[in-house]
Amino acid sequence: MIETFGLTKRYGPVLALDHLSMQVHPGEVTGFLGPNGAGKSTTMRLICGLDHPTEGTALVNGKPYAAHRDPLHQVGALLDAKAMHPGRTARAELMAIAQTQGLGAKRVDEVLEYTGLASVAKRRLGTFSLGMGQRLGIAAALLCDPLTLILDEPINGLDPEGVIWVRDLVKYEASQGKTVFLSSHLMSEMALVADRLVILGRGKLVAEKTMKELIADASDIATRVRCAQATELTAELAGPGVRIDSLAPGLFEVHGRSAEQVATIALDHRWLVTELTPMQVSLEDAYMKLTQSQAQYTGTAVPTPGAQR
């Protein structure tokens, strides 16, 4: 479990993190989101003891990272895949870590195989591509079979197979009762793996909710309906606070009415409904709605295709 209490970090006049209190629970994948400069990387570094907070505390499994006698068995972290010696081979890099933890070559070979790097184990890291470096960083994080995984942008540079593998990996690790804390800017991937979300903006906590709660809170009540008696049904659904958008003959969206309400009215009149779909916003839409005023670095609007600059 990861807990922070009033975690604050200043770099001179810059307030990078502002009294962050949160919990990341075992047994689920927690996604960590926020615009560039929101404080995500700072938070992860503070949790892993790589920097000291100005105020507040970060605990992993009940203790500060540095207070654990076996920190690499407690936390496996991928924060910067490039932070490895370019002159070493992949196997030598992992062996250097393993030997500090009383682990042998067998475990090193296991994680090399597991992450798909067995065939390049003797190659020097200076020749590795970005994706290969990411795989090695994940291998190092998994080496001691830690109780907690902290992964900062783990799919950066990976090919489609690698992206799917990481997706399966984090879900599996959480299913084994481990704490998985994962950052990414790819909303489509986060939507597929995260059970819970922590969102930062300008160093402050913006939201800490389950995926379902976040999307439900950002969604209006709306239903897509296909009905042979669409004209009659829309007349029955109309009322204060209700908007109906016609999409095609017999197909419409009604805002302000739930799917249950539409079904009840249609059933009372014995009208045939062949589609009844509750409408929800995407994770990306919900995220943008929450953080639209939090981004520090924004470009100017891009012209639509064909428009003059």
Side-chain angles (χ1 to χ4, degrees), residues 70-86:
D70 56 348
L72 295 187
H73 292 268
Q74 298 294 325
V75 182
L78 169 63
L79 302 185
D80 182 0
K82 295 178 289 184
M84 295 190 178
H85 196 301

